[in-house]
Structures are given as structure tokens and as C-alpha cells.
Amino acid sequence: MMFGPRATGTLQRVGLYLLLLLVPFSKAAVELTFGLLLLGWLADRIRPSTRSDTLWRDARLRLLGVGLIIYWVACALSIMVSGYPLLSLRALFTKWGEYLLLFVIAMDVARRPGVARRCAQVITWSSLGVVLEAAWQELFGRGLFRGAHAPLLHARMIGPYEIPSDLATYFMVVIPLLLVQAMTSTGWRRRPLWILLGAGVLCLARTETVGAWLGLGVGLGFVSLRHPRLRRPGLIMLAAVALVASAYLARVGRLAGTFSTTD
């Protein structure tokens, strides 16, 4: 084999770290980092000595594996009612299939010692870049990393993304992770994490995307139930998000419409 187990393991870890760091800023990052992950993962699956070294042989994940297969089959069946069947067929093996395989590989990589902790650290630095990009747009009308990215087209915050809902979805996922980081960190790291967490909440409010706030509520609820130590901070954070979001919607005149039956 061209790569030994140590080299392929490093390749997969580096690919995952780069993906988490760059994906908010570049669509191409998904394709490039996926190539690194896939190359290292396939090399381990081909090599007899590491072929069985995978999380997916665990019987406890069998139900999750069945769920992934059902998801992919549902995507395949959707081609039958698609208005663009050829495009959907291509997406089955590119976008849907790629993301599905990416999930499978990422779980294998993240189970290795220390990788999950480093992933959380990478996400923290990446979210700092997203907050800086979004704040720079608000202050100067252009991005810090993306240049003139036309945020005024939406009159809402978009950060490094193209539409506000994508930025909102990013913070919907990241804010619970930042909360866990802030609560479990010690020393000088804790205060900057709380500041970053507060900035993330403000950015989420500035997107004016109600669906993401509801999703964040589910995420914070899960964190509170899963980690009893974080129950009180999670509920406080949920209340803070609701308060900030409501205050901002009231300020821009959209609070009443948010709770309409049409929405």
C-alpha cells in the first residue's frame, strides 16, 4: 500500500478539520476535503489489517445504518416525481450520496481519541471567522473575507453565505456546541467563549429567520436533557435567544407576523 495506517489516519483527521474550518466560507471546501477523507477511509477499508476497524460494525449502530439506507432510498424514489429527473439522478450519486458517505466517514474519524475535542475547537475558530465576516459587513457594507458580497440585497445579515437562512442554519447548529464549550472550559478560555456565544446569538437574531430559532430551541433542549449539568445554562440560553429575537423582530416591525398561522 502507498499509505500506511498512520498516514491514512492523519489524512482523514486533517480532511475533517479543514472541512469544519472552511465549509462556511467555500462550497469548494466540501469537495476538496471530502476527497481527502474518502481517500484515507477507502485505503483503510481495502487494507486487511484495518478493514474491520470501523464504527459501523458495532451492532448498536445497526438501526442508524438502516435509517441511512432508508434516507438514500427515499432520495432515489423522489426521482420518479422530480421535474428534472436527470438532474435528480445525478444528485443521487453526487450531492445526496456524497453527504451520506461524508457522514459515515466523519463518524469513523471522530471516534478516534482526541478528534472530537479538536473538532469542537476547530468549529469555535471557524465560528469566530463567521462572526467577524458578518460584523464587518454590518459596519462597512462589504465582507472581510468575501469582499463585496451584496448584503444589502436582503437587508438582513448573511455573513459568508448567500442568503440569511443559511447563516441562521449555521448558528442554529453551532450555538449549542459553543454553549457546551463555554460551560466545560476553564481558565482564560471561558470568557472569550461566552463573548463569542453572545455574538452568535446576536447574529442569529439579525438574520430574522424564525425557523432557525425554533431549531435552536430543539438543539438547546436536547443539550439540556443530555447533560444535566448544562440544563440550567441551556434553558437560560434558550430564554436569552427568545428575548433577543423577539426584541429585534419588534424593532423591525415583524414580531406580529412571526406568529401568524400563514407562517
mmCIF file of all heavy atoms in Angstrom, residues 187-226:
data_model
loop_
_atom_site.group_PDB
_atom_site.id
_atom_site.type_symbol
_atom_site.label_atom_id
_atom_site.label_comp_id
_atom_site.label_asym_id
_atom_site.label_seq_id
_atom_site.Cartn_x
_atom_site.Cartn_y
_atom_site.Cartn_z
ATOM 1 N N GLY A 187 -10.375 28.452 33.039
ATOM 2 C CA GLY A 187 -9.317 29.446 32.890
ATOM 3 C C GLY A 187 -9.698 30.569 31.936
ATOM 4 O O GLY A 187 -10.872 30.939 31.799
ATOM 5 N N TRP A 188 -8.684 31.089 31.254
ATOM 6 C CA TRP A 188 -8.877 32.266 30.402
ATOM 7 C C TRP A 188 -9.731 31.984 29.180
ATOM 8 O O TRP A 188 -10.282 32.907 28.577
ATOM 9 C CB TRP A 188 -7.509 32.796 29.950
ATOM 10 C CG TRP A 188 -6.764 31.818 29.078
ATOM 11 C CD1 TRP A 188 -5.894 30.860 29.482
ATOM 12 C CD2 TRP A 188 -6.833 31.728 27.650
ATOM 13 N NE1 TRP A 188 -5.412 30.162 28.409
ATOM 14 C CE2 TRP A 188 -5.971 30.666 27.276
ATOM 15 C CE3 TRP A 188 -7.529 32.418 26.669
ATOM 16 C CZ2 TRP A 188 -5.793 30.293 25.943
ATOM 17 C CZ3 TRP A 188 -7.361 32.052 25.350
ATOM 18 C CH2 TRP A 188 -6.512 30.997 24.982
ATOM 19 N N ARG A 189 -9.873 30.743 28.773
ATOM 20 C CA ARG A 189 -10.638 30.420 27.567
ATOM 21 C C ARG A 189 -12.138 30.643 27.744
ATOM 22 O O ARG A 189 -12.851 30.851 26.766
ATOM 23 C CB ARG A 189 -10.398 28.965 27.160
ATOM 24 C CG ARG A 189 -8.975 28.621 26.794
ATOM 25 C CD ARG A 189 -8.853 27.166 26.403
ATOM 26 N NE ARG A 189 -7.492 26.785 26.082
ATOM 27 C CZ ARG A 189 -6.606 26.387 26.979
ATOM 28 N NH1 ARG A 189 -6.965 26.311 28.255
ATOM 29 N NH2 ARG A 189 -5.384 26.067 26.629
ATOM 30 N N ARG A 190 -12.597 30.611 28.951
ATOM 31 C CA ARG A 190 -14.039 30.607 29.180
ATOM 32 C C ARG A 190 -14.689 31.938 28.784
ATOM 33 O O ARG A 190 -15.729 31.949 28.121
ATOM 34 C CB ARG A 190 -14.322 30.303 30.650
ATOM 35 C CG ARG A 190 -15.768 29.965 30.928
ATOM 36 C CD ARG A 190 -15.926 29.327 32.291
ATOM 37 N NE ARG A 190 -17.274 28.803 32.464
ATOM 38 C CZ ARG A 190 -17.662 28.097 33.506
ATOM 39 N NH1 ARG A 190 -16.784 27.809 34.451
ATOM 40 N NH2 ARG A 190 -18.896 27.664 33.608
ATOM 41 N N ARG A 191 -14.092 33.060 29.184
ATOM 42 C CA ARG A 191 -14.709 34.357 28.897
ATOM 43 C C ARG A 191 -14.814 34.645 27.402
ATOM 44 O O ARG A 191 -15.874 35.068 26.938
ATOM 45 C CB ARG A 191 -13.929 35.477 29.604
ATOM 46 C CG ARG A 191 -14.549 36.853 29.420
ATOM 47 C CD ARG A 191 -13.864 37.892 30.276
ATOM 48 N NE ARG A 191 -14.056 37.628 31.687
ATOM 49 C CZ ARG A 191 -13.524 38.363 32.656
ATOM 50 N NH1 ARG A 191 -12.757 39.405 32.354
ATOM 51 N NH2 ARG A 191 -13.752 38.070 33.905
ATOM 52 N N PRO A 192 -13.738 34.440 26.604
ATOM 53 C CA PRO A 192 -13.883 34.654 25.152
ATOM 54 C C PRO A 192 -14.964 33.778 24.530
ATOM 55 O O PRO A 192 -15.649 34.201 23.585
ATOM 56 C CB PRO A 192 -12.493 34.289 24.605
ATOM 57 C CG PRO A 192 -11.567 34.500 25.742
ATOM 58 C CD PRO A 192 -12.343 34.124 26.962
ATOM 59 N N LEU A 193 -15.148 32.559 25.040
ATOM 60 C CA LEU A 193 -16.184 31.678 24.506
ATOM 61 C C LEU A 193 -17.572 32.236 24.786
ATOM 62 O O LEU A 193 -18.462 32.169 23.927
ATOM 63 C CB LEU A 193 -16.038 30.274 25.094
ATOM 64 C CG LEU A 193 -14.932 29.414 24.488
ATOM 65 C CD1 LEU A 193 -14.713 28.156 25.330
ATOM 66 C CD2 LEU A 193 -15.266 29.036 23.049
ATOM 67 N N TRP A 194 -17.768 32.795 25.975
ATOM 68 C CA TRP A 194 -19.071 33.402 26.282
ATOM 69 C C TRP A 194 -19.321 34.624 25.407
ATOM 70 O O TRP A 194 -20.453 34.870 24.974
ATOM 71 C CB TRP A 194 -19.143 33.778 27.762
ATOM 72 C CG TRP A 194 -19.436 32.632 28.670
ATOM 73 C CD1 TRP A 194 -18.606 32.041 29.567
ATOM 74 C CD2 TRP A 194 -20.678 31.906 28.744
ATOM 75 N NE1 TRP A 194 -19.222 30.995 30.207
ATOM 76 C CE2 TRP A 194 -20.507 30.888 29.730
ATOM 77 C CE3 TRP A 194 -21.898 32.015 28.097
ATOM 78 C CZ2 TRP A 194 -21.517 30.004 30.058
ATOM 79 C CZ3 TRP A 194 -22.906 31.119 28.430
ATOM 80 C CH2 TRP A 194 -22.719 30.133 29.398
ATOM 81 N N ILE A 195 -18.277 35.401 25.148
ATOM 82 C CA ILE A 195 -18.429 36.565 24.264
ATOM 83 C C ILE A 195 -18.789 36.115 22.853
ATOM 84 O O ILE A 195 -19.689 36.681 22.203
ATOM 85 C CB ILE A 195 -17.128 37.397 24.256
ATOM 86 C CG1 ILE A 195 -16.883 37.999 25.633
ATOM 87 C CG2 ILE A 195 -17.193 38.488 23.197
ATOM 88 C CD1 ILE A 195 -15.549 38.708 25.776
ATOM 89 N N LEU A 196 -18.088 35.081 22.360
ATOM 90 C CA LEU A 196 -18.381 34.543 21.035
ATOM 91 C C LEU A 196 -19.792 33.982 20.979
ATOM 92 O O LEU A 196 -20.505 34.155 19.980
ATOM 93 C CB LEU A 196 -17.358 33.463 20.687
ATOM 94 C CG LEU A 196 -17.515 32.771 19.333
ATOM 95 C CD1 LEU A 196 -17.429 33.771 18.191
ATOM 96 C CD2 LEU A 196 -16.468 31.670 19.165
ATOM 97 N N LEU A 197 -20.215 33.321 22.042
ATOM 98 C CA LEU A 197 -21.565 32.763 22.097
ATOM 99 C C LEU A 197 -22.613 33.873 22.021
ATOM 100 O O LEU A 197 -23.602 33.766 21.274
ATOM 101 C CB LEU A 197 -21.727 31.967 23.382
ATOM 102 C CG LEU A 197 -23.058 31.248 23.620
ATOM 103 C CD1 LEU A 197 -23.331 30.254 22.503
ATOM 104 C CD2 LEU A 197 -23.048 30.540 24.966
ATOM 105 N N GLY A 198 -22.403 34.957 22.768
ATOM 106 C CA GLY A 198 -23.328 36.085 22.710
ATOM 107 C C GLY A 198 -23.374 36.720 21.335
ATOM 108 O O GLY A 198 -24.447 37.090 20.838
ATOM 109 N N ALA A 199 -22.204 36.837 20.695
ATOM 110 C CA ALA A 199 -22.156 37.398 19.341
ATOM 111 C C ALA A 199 -22.907 36.508 18.359
ATOM 112 O O ALA A 199 -23.593 37.005 17.453
ATOM 113 C CB ALA A 199 -20.698 37.562 18.902
ATOM 114 N N GLY A 200 -22.791 35.191 18.547
ATOM 115 C CA GLY A 200 -23.523 34.268 17.677
ATOM 116 C C GLY A 200 -25.024 34.423 17.808
ATOM 117 O O GLY A 200 -25.761 34.377 16.812
ATOM 118 N N VAL A 201 -25.497 34.625 19.028
ATOM 119 C CA VAL A 201 -26.930 34.828 19.254
ATOM 120 C C VAL A 201 -27.402 36.115 18.570
ATOM 121 O O VAL A 201 -28.467 36.150 17.938
ATOM 122 C CB VAL A 201 -27.230 34.873 20.767
ATOM 123 C CG1 VAL A 201 -28.668 35.308 21.018
ATOM 124 C CG2 VAL A 201 -26.977 33.509 21.395
ATOM 125 N N LEU A 202 -26.610 37.184 18.672
ATOM 126 C CA LEU A 202 -26.969 38.446 18.022
ATOM 127 C C LEU A 202 -26.997 38.294 16.499
ATOM 128 O O LEU A 202 -27.886 38.828 15.833
ATOM 129 C CB LEU A 202 -25.977 39.540 18.432
ATOM 130 C CG LEU A 202 -26.030 39.979 19.901
ATOM 131 C CD1 LEU A 202 -24.921 40.992 20.189
ATOM 132 C CD2 LEU A 202 -27.388 40.592 20.233
ATOM 133 N N CYS A 203 -26.034 37.570 15.960
ATOM 134 C CA CYS A 203 -26.018 37.341 14.507
ATOM 135 C C CYS A 203 -27.238 36.539 14.076
ATOM 136 O O CYS A 203 -27.852 36.824 13.038
ATOM 137 C CB CYS A 203 -24.746 36.601 14.105
ATOM 138 S SG CYS A 203 -23.223 37.574 14.206
ATOM 139 N N LEU A 204 -27.590 35.539 14.867
ATOM 140 C CA LEU A 204 -28.773 34.742 14.546
ATOM 141 C C LEU A 204 -30.022 35.617 14.554
ATOM 142 O O LEU A 204 -30.885 35.500 13.666
ATOM 143 C CB LEU A 204 -28.921 33.592 15.545
ATOM 144 C CG LEU A 204 -30.150 32.703 15.386
ATOM 145 C CD1 LEU A 204 -30.154 32.020 14.018
ATOM 146 C CD2 LEU A 204 -30.212 31.655 16.490
ATOM 147 N N ALA A 205 -30.137 36.497 15.535
ATOM 148 C CA ALA A 205 -31.288 37.396 15.585
ATOM 149 C C ALA A 205 -31.327 38.311 14.369
ATOM 150 O O ALA A 205 -32.390 38.577 13.802
ATOM 151 C CB ALA A 205 -31.241 38.228 16.873
ATOM 152 N N ARG A 206 -30.160 38.749 13.919
ATOM 153 C CA ARG A 206 -30.081 39.685 12.782
ATOM 154 C C ARG A 206 -30.467 39.021 11.462
ATOM 155 O O ARG A 206 -30.807 39.697 10.509
ATOM 156 C CB ARG A 206 -28.658 40.242 12.699
ATOM 157 C CG ARG A 206 -28.427 41.267 11.613
ATOM 158 C CD ARG A 206 -29.141 42.559 11.890
ATOM 159 N NE ARG A 206 -28.894 43.517 10.832
ATOM 160 C CZ ARG A 206 -29.587 43.595 9.693
ATOM 161 N NH1 ARG A 206 -30.609 42.784 9.488
ATOM 162 N NH2 ARG A 206 -29.280 44.487 8.774
ATOM 163 N N THR A 207 -30.460 37.691 11.396
ATOM 164 C CA THR A 207 -30.900 37.014 10.172
ATOM 165 C C THR A 207 -32.417 37.038 10.021
ATOM 166 O O THR A 207 -32.939 36.808 8.925
ATOM 167 C CB THR A 207 -30.439 35.550 10.143
ATOM 168 O OG1 THR A 207 -31.072 34.815 11.196
ATOM 169 C CG2 THR A 207 -28.928 35.444 10.279
ATOM 170 N N GLU A 208 -33.130 37.245 11.139
ATOM 171 C CA GLU A 208 -34.603 37.286 11.146
ATOM 172 C C GLU A 208 -35.211 35.998 10.593
ATOM 173 O O GLU A 208 -36.238 36.013 9.914
ATOM 174 C CB GLU A 208 -35.111 38.488 10.353
ATOM 175 C CG GLU A 208 -34.605 39.822 10.849
ATOM 176 C CD GLU A 208 -35.103 40.992 10.029
ATOM 177 O OE1 GLU A 208 -36.237 40.922 9.515
ATOM 178 O OE2 GLU A 208 -34.349 41.977 9.882
ATOM 179 N N THR A 209 -34.595 34.866 10.884
ATOM 180 C CA THR A 209 -35.053 33.576 10.375
ATOM 181 C C THR A 209 -35.677 32.786 11.517
ATOM 182 O O THR A 209 -34.963 32.193 12.341
ATOM 183 C CB THR A 209 -33.885 32.794 9.754
ATOM 184 O OG1 THR A 209 -33.244 33.610 8.770
ATOM 185 C CG2 THR A 209 -34.375 31.522 9.098
ATOM 186 N N VAL A 210 -36.989 32.774 11.554
ATOM 187 C CA VAL A 210 -37.700 32.175 12.683
ATOM 188 C C VAL A 210 -37.487 30.667 12.751
ATOM 189 O O VAL A 210 -37.340 30.088 13.831
ATOM 190 C CB VAL A 210 -39.208 32.498 12.590
ATOM 191 C CG1 VAL A 210 -39.968 31.855 13.740
ATOM 192 C CG2 VAL A 210 -39.413 34.005 12.584
ATOM 193 N N GLY A 211 -37.453 29.993 11.613
ATOM 194 C CA GLY A 211 -37.279 28.544 11.599
ATOM 195 C C GLY A 211 -36.006 28.111 12.295
ATOM 196 O O GLY A 211 -35.984 27.091 12.997
ATOM 197 N N ALA A 212 -34.932 28.879 12.115
ATOM 198 C CA ALA A 212 -33.665 28.540 12.759
ATOM 199 C C ALA A 212 -33.755 28.718 14.268
ATOM 200 O O ALA A 212 -33.137 27.960 15.028
ATOM 201 C CB ALA A 212 -32.536 29.405 12.193
ATOM 202 N N TRP A 213 -34.511 29.707 14.726
ATOM 203 C CA TRP A 213 -34.676 29.877 16.172
ATOM 204 C C TRP A 213 -35.421 28.691 16.769
ATOM 205 O O TRP A 213 -35.102 28.229 17.857
ATOM 206 C CB TRP A 213 -35.427 31.175 16.471
ATOM 207 C CG TRP A 213 -34.688 32.393 16.025
ATOM 208 C CD1 TRP A 213 -33.342 32.507 15.834
ATOM 209 C CD2 TRP A 213 -35.247 33.652 15.696
ATOM 210 N NE1 TRP A 213 -33.032 33.781 15.398
ATOM 211 C CE2 TRP A 213 -34.175 34.506 15.313
ATOM 212 C CE3 TRP A 213 -36.535 34.168 15.689
ATOM 213 C CZ2 TRP A 213 -34.368 35.823 14.930
ATOM 214 C CZ3 TRP A 213 -36.726 35.494 15.309
ATOM 215 C CH2 TRP A 213 -35.656 36.306 14.937
ATOM 216 N N LEU A 214 -36.429 28.216 16.057
ATOM 217 C CA LEU A 214 -37.158 27.040 16.539
ATOM 218 C C LEU A 214 -36.229 25.818 16.584
ATOM 219 O O LEU A 214 -36.263 25.040 17.532
ATOM 220 C CB LEU A 214 -38.359 26.769 15.631
ATOM 221 C CG LEU A 214 -39.428 27.856 15.585
ATOM 222 C CD1 LEU A 214 -40.503 27.505 14.564
ATOM 223 C CD2 LEU A 214 -40.053 28.069 16.956
ATOM 224 N N GLY A 215 -35.405 25.664 15.539
ATOM 225 C CA GLY A 215 -34.445 24.567 15.517
ATOM 226 C C GLY A 215 -33.435 24.685 16.639
ATOM 227 O O GLY A 215 -33.048 23.679 17.259
ATOM 228 N N LEU A 216 -33.000 25.902 16.922
ATOM 229 C CA LEU A 216 -32.066 26.126 18.024
ATOM 230 C C LEU A 216 -32.706 25.744 19.351
ATOM 231 O O LEU A 216 -32.039 25.171 20.232
ATOM 232 C CB LEU A 216 -31.619 27.588 18.052
ATOM 233 C CG LEU A 216 -30.710 27.992 19.209
ATOM 234 C CD1 LEU A 216 -29.417 27.185 19.201
ATOM 235 C CD2 LEU A 216 -30.406 29.489 19.155
ATOM 236 N N GLY A 217 -33.991 26.050 19.495
ATOM 237 C CA GLY A 217 -34.697 25.659 20.710
ATOM 238 C C GLY A 217 -34.671 24.157 20.910
ATOM 239 O O GLY A 217 -34.457 23.669 22.028
ATOM 240 N N VAL A 218 -34.859 23.409 19.831
ATOM 241 C CA VAL A 218 -34.782 21.947 19.910
ATOM 242 C C VAL A 218 -33.373 21.515 20.304
ATOM 243 O O VAL A 218 -33.185 20.631 21.149
ATOM 244 C CB VAL A 218 -35.185 21.317 18.566
ATOM 245 C CG1 VAL A 218 -34.956 19.807 18.598
ATOM 246 C CG2 VAL A 218 -36.641 21.619 18.247
ATOM 247 N N GLY A 219 -32.357 22.134 19.689
ATOM 248 C CA GLY A 219 -30.967 21.790 19.982
ATOM 249 C C GLY A 219 -30.601 22.067 21.434
ATOM 250 O O GLY A 219 -29.974 21.235 22.109
ATOM 251 N N LEU A 220 -30.999 23.237 21.937
ATOM 252 C CA LEU A 220 -30.698 23.573 23.330
ATOM 253 C C LEU A 220 -31.472 22.666 24.285
ATOM 254 O O LEU A 220 -30.962 22.301 25.348
ATOM 255 C CB LEU A 220 -31.042 25.039 23.593
ATOM 256 C CG LEU A 220 -30.140 26.063 22.911
ATOM 257 C CD1 LEU A 220 -30.670 27.476 23.119
ATOM 258 C CD2 LEU A 220 -28.708 25.963 23.413
ATOM 259 N N GLY A 221 -32.693 22.303 23.895
ATOM 260 C CA GLY A 221 -33.453 21.367 24.716
ATOM 261 C C GLY A 221 -32.775 20.015 24.796
ATOM 262 O O GLY A 221 -32.712 19.397 25.868
ATOM 263 N N PHE A 222 -32.225 19.562 23.661
ATOM 264 C CA PHE A 222 -31.510 18.276 23.652
ATOM 265 C C PHE A 222 -30.274 18.341 24.537
ATOM 266 O O PHE A 222 -30.001 17.411 25.310
ATOM 267 C CB PHE A 222 -31.112 17.913 22.223
ATOM 268 C CG PHE A 222 -30.273 16.675 22.120
ATOM 269 C CD1 PHE A 222 -30.857 15.413 22.167
ATOM 270 C CD2 PHE A 222 -28.893 16.755 22.003
ATOM 271 C CE1 PHE A 222 -30.075 14.263 22.092
ATOM 272 C CE2 PHE A 222 -28.109 15.616 21.930
ATOM 273 C CZ PHE A 222 -28.711 14.369 21.968
ATOM 274 N N VAL A 223 -29.514 19.428 24.415
ATOM 275 C CA VAL A 223 -28.314 19.590 25.242
ATOM 276 C C VAL A 223 -28.683 19.580 26.720
ATOM 277 O O VAL A 223 -28.006 18.957 27.551
ATOM 278 C CB VAL A 223 -27.590 20.902 24.873
ATOM 279 C CG1 VAL A 223 -26.506 21.222 25.901
ATOM 280 C CG2 VAL A 223 -26.967 20.789 23.487
ATOM 281 N N SER A 224 -29.777 20.247 27.068
ATOM 282 C CA SER A 224 -30.200 20.318 28.469
ATOM 283 C C SER A 224 -30.591 18.955 29.007
ATOM 284 O O SER A 224 -30.299 18.617 30.157
ATOM 285 C CB SER A 224 -31.377 21.292 28.606
ATOM 286 O OG SER A 224 -31.022 22.587 28.159
ATOM 287 N N LEU A 225 -31.259 18.145 28.185
ATOM 288 C CA LEU A 225 -31.680 16.820 28.624
ATOM 289 C C LEU A 225 -30.511 15.840 28.655
ATOM 290 O O LEU A 225 -30.440 14.964 29.521
ATOM 291 C CB LEU A 225 -32.782 16.291 27.697
ATOM 292 C CG LEU A 225 -34.125 17.028 27.765
ATOM 293 C CD1 LEU A 225 -35.054 16.499 26.685
ATOM 294 C CD2 LEU A 225 -34.755 16.874 29.137
ATOM 295 N N ARG A 226 -29.605 15.983 27.695
ATOM 296 C CA ARG A 226 -28.496 15.032 27.572
ATOM 297 C C ARG A 226 -27.436 15.275 28.640
ATOM 298 O O ARG A 226 -26.784 14.345 29.089
ATOM 299 C CB ARG A 226 -27.873 15.192 26.185
ATOM 300 C CG ARG A 226 -26.780 14.206 25.884
ATOM 301 C CD ARG A 226 -27.333 12.854 25.509
ATOM 302 N NE ARG A 226 -26.257 11.978 25.077
ATOM 303 C CZ ARG A 226 -25.979 10.815 25.662
ATOM 304 N NH1 ARG A 226 -26.685 10.402 26.682
ATOM 305 N NH2 ARG A 226 -25.014 10.058 25.200
#
